[in-house]
Amino acid sequence: MSNLPDESQKRFIAILSKKMDLGRTLNVLGHLSVGLSNRLESDEAYYVDYQDFDGNVHPNLSHYPFIVLKADNSNKLRKVSEEAFIRGIKFTDFTSSMIEGGSVEQQKRTKETKEEDLEYLGVCLFGDTEILRDFTKKFSLYK
């Protein structure tokens, strides 16, 4: 346990549109999280197992914090996505074109939509805490 890096150095941040219902919000968060974790190198994030008193293992939870914030609209999410891209920060984003049908249909619909017409529903980032805070601090906690 003591070989782990300082957990305040890095973090995951998800920023989600406040315009979605709970089911959609959780679905978008799931897609963003799984996608982002797949983009990370094996030595970037740390995962730990928790063991309870009875010896049961609760496996593979993030050592780093996972913060969930909310955004008022698509344009604010678009700007976060653009900023992450410019800064070389690993991220995933999710738009309304990715909702209905299977992934093949969603990919086709997204490809047929101009970027400026995409409605962003969420962005998920992983990186150095101070760098992420620099451009996500204006968002409030999702409650």
Side-chain angles (χ1 to χ4, degrees):
M1 278 195 223
S2 59
N3 294 344
L4 293 169
D6 178 355
E7 65 189 44
S8 66
Q9 290 177 341
K10 295 186 181 209
R11 62 184 46 204
F12 291 89
I13 297 179
I15 309 172
L16 303 168
S17 170
K18 70 177 191 180
K19 297 180 177 182
M20 298 182 287
D21 65 31
L22 182 58
R24 172 89 42 188
T25 301
L26 295 174
N27 181 265
V28 168
L29 180 59
H31 279 285
L32 290 169
S33 303
V34 169
L36 181 58
S37 66
N38 188 55
R39 295 198 64 200
L40 301 180
E41 301 296 325
S42 61
D43 62 347
E44 283 185 273
Y46 290 86
Y47 299 92
V48 295
D49 293 342
Y50 289 77
Q51 188 169 355
D52 63 31
F53 182 81
D54 299 313
N56 301 303
V57 176
H58 308 273
N60 213 45
L61 295 165
S62 177
H63 169 66
Y64 292 119
F66 193 114
I67 312 299
V68 182
L69 306 172
K70 65 181 172 185
D72 292 334
N73 59 54
S74 172
N75 201 43
K76 291 183 178 183
L77 291 165
R78 174 182 281 107
K79 287 179 181 170
V80 169
S81 189
E82 290 169 354
E83 188 68 27
F85 179 79
I86 289 166
R87 292 180 183 228
I89 293 166
K90 291 198 176 162
F91 73 98
T92 50
D93 57 33
F94 194 100
T95 68
S96 61
S97 64
M98 303 168 187
I99 292 175
E100 299 298 327
S103 70
V104 172
E105 183 182 334
Q106 295 164 2
Q107 287 176 303
K108 181 178 183 291
R109 187 170 38 253
T110 304
K111 185 139 183 97
E112 294 169 351
T113 306
K114 290 182 179 180
E115 192 282 331
E116 66 187 24
D117 295 330
L118 290 172
E119 179 190 3
Y120 284 74
L121 299 176
V123 179
C124 196
L125 315 138
F126 177 76
D128 293 337
T129 297
E130 291 309 313
I131 293 170
L132 294 181
R133 273 192 186 140
D134 188 41
F135 66 99
T136 63
K137 63 184 174 217
K138 59 186 170 274
F139 297 96
S140 58
L141 280 175
Y142 201 106
K143 295 181 181 178

